[in-house]
Amino acid sequence: MVPPGPSPDPSRRDPLPVMAAAAVGGGRGLWGRLAESRIGRWWRALLQDYAAAVREAAEGARRRPGAAAGSLAGLAGAAACAAAVPSAESFEAATVEAAGTLLLLSPGTRSPAADRHVQHLLRRREAGRLRYRDFFFLAVVYEAPHAADAALYPAQCPHLWPRWRELPSRLLDVGFWGRWWVLGARLRDCDVNEEEFGALPARLRHMSPHHLHSHRNESQFLEKFQPVTLTEEDIQRTESEAAAPARAEGAQLSGDARDP
């Protein structure tokens, strides 16, 4: 009976398969070894997932072209709105331009409401209390209680800062699609002093569009350019009206001549 030999060590491997695998891996080159590595397999799986998602999106677009066109239009509109968001420099330039526009108007014709709003913005700008925030589709400018470089304790302590729920009360302007809407609305009719009409009745203080663009006013304005046509009756009536003062004057002179 042959005694059993020593059991093989499982930690030791046959060097021939390892050398063969190394030789095969070395023949593939750097990119081949990188593709077979863990990071290479992860990137390949990721690209396959994205390719499958693109194919499914293309098939869905072919099945429902209307929905696909609407989605693309929405994405394009969102990208255009994001690209047209005004900057903080544009708000400062618009404020300075508005101040120059109001400065060219006399105090009697300048709108007090527009002037107060622009002066409020200028004072907050000089004090460094204007804050700008970009929310991807629109931008807002709001008022801060302190300047950015203030060393006061309420300005440095985060527990004393105003909460975001208080933002509507501190909001000064909203920027969307390349313009600042609150400032533009305040400057509308900035050359009209609305306080001059305070003594008028309530029905005369406001004018609606049909008061300015009524068909009757336009027709009467155009009638003055039309030629005047007189009938025989109109001519006789006009002559009799013109001769009436002359007859009255002649009768008065005749009465004066008869008096002794």
Side-chain angles (χ1 to χ4, degrees):
M1 183 173 180
V2 180
S7 60
D9 190 0
S11 62
R12 297 181 60 185
R13 299 175 60 184
D14 190 0
L16 293 179
V18 175
M19 295 174 60
V24 172
R28 288 198 300 265
L30 176 62
W31 292 109
R33 293 194 302 271
L34 185 61
E36 294 299 330
S37 63
R38 181 179 299 177
I39 188 67
R41 291 194 298 271
W42 185 84
W43 277 106
R44 185 165 60 248
L46 182 63
L47 292 177
Q48 289 175 358
D49 292 342
Y50 274 106
V54 170
R55 286 195 298 269
E56 291 178 1
E59 292 175 0
R62 284 194 295 268
R63 290 194 303 267
R64 302 178 62 184
S71 300
L72 290 177
L75 291 176
C81 291
V85 172
S87 61
E89 291 77 10
S90 68
F91 179 76
E92 184 175 355
T95 304
V96 174
E97 183 180 359
T101 302
L102 294 175
L103 188 62
L104 296 176
L105 301 174
S106 63
T109 60
R110 188 186 308 162
S111 174
D115 187 54
R116 285 192 296 266
H117 180 73
V118 173
Q119 294 301 322
H120 178 78
L121 294 179
L122 291 177
R123 286 193 297 268
R124 297 301 180 269
R125 170 178 169 268
E126 293 299 330
R129 295 174 55 184
L130 294 181
R131 298 293 184 270
Y132 172 87
R133 287 292 182 271
D134 187 354
F135 293 102
F136 190 73
F137 292 113
L138 54 88
V140 297
V141 173
Y142 60 94
E143 178 183 353
H146 304 282
D149 55 351
L152 300 175
Y153 180 75
Q156 299 297 328
C157 180
H159 301 287
L160 299 178
W161 291 349
R163 300 295 180 251
W164 283 104
R165 63 175 177 269
E166 301 175 6
L167 180 62
S169 61
R170 297 185 293 124
L171 188 65
L172 295 177
D173 213 323
V174 177
F176 178 74
W177 200 252
R179 60 173 298 184
W180 296 99
W181 293 87
V182 176
L183 184 60
R186 292 300 183 94
L187 289 180
R188 188 180 302 132
D189 299 331
C190 63
D191 57 344
V192 177
N193 188 356
E194 59 272 8
E195 294 182 357
E196 293 182 348
F197 305 100
L200 294 176
R203 61 184 182 84
L204 298 179
R205 294 176 188 173
H206 302 282
M207 300 184 68
S208 58
H210 71 274
H211 292 152
L212 301 176
H213 303 284
S214 63
H215 177 70
R216 181 171 177 271
N217 292 342
E218 294 180 0
S219 61
Q220 289 180 351
F221 176 77
L222 294 176
E223 282 180 0
K224 69 178 183 179
F225 299 105
Q226 301 296 328
V228 179
T229 303
L230 296 177
T231 61
E232 293 294 336
E233 182 180 357
D234 296 334
I235 295 174
Q236 293 177 1
R237 184 171 63 253
T238 303
E239 291 178 349
S240 61
E241 292 177 355
R247 289 197 299 267
E249 185 179 358
Q252 184 179 1
L253 293 176
S254 299
D256 294 341
R258 293 193 191 94
D259 294 337

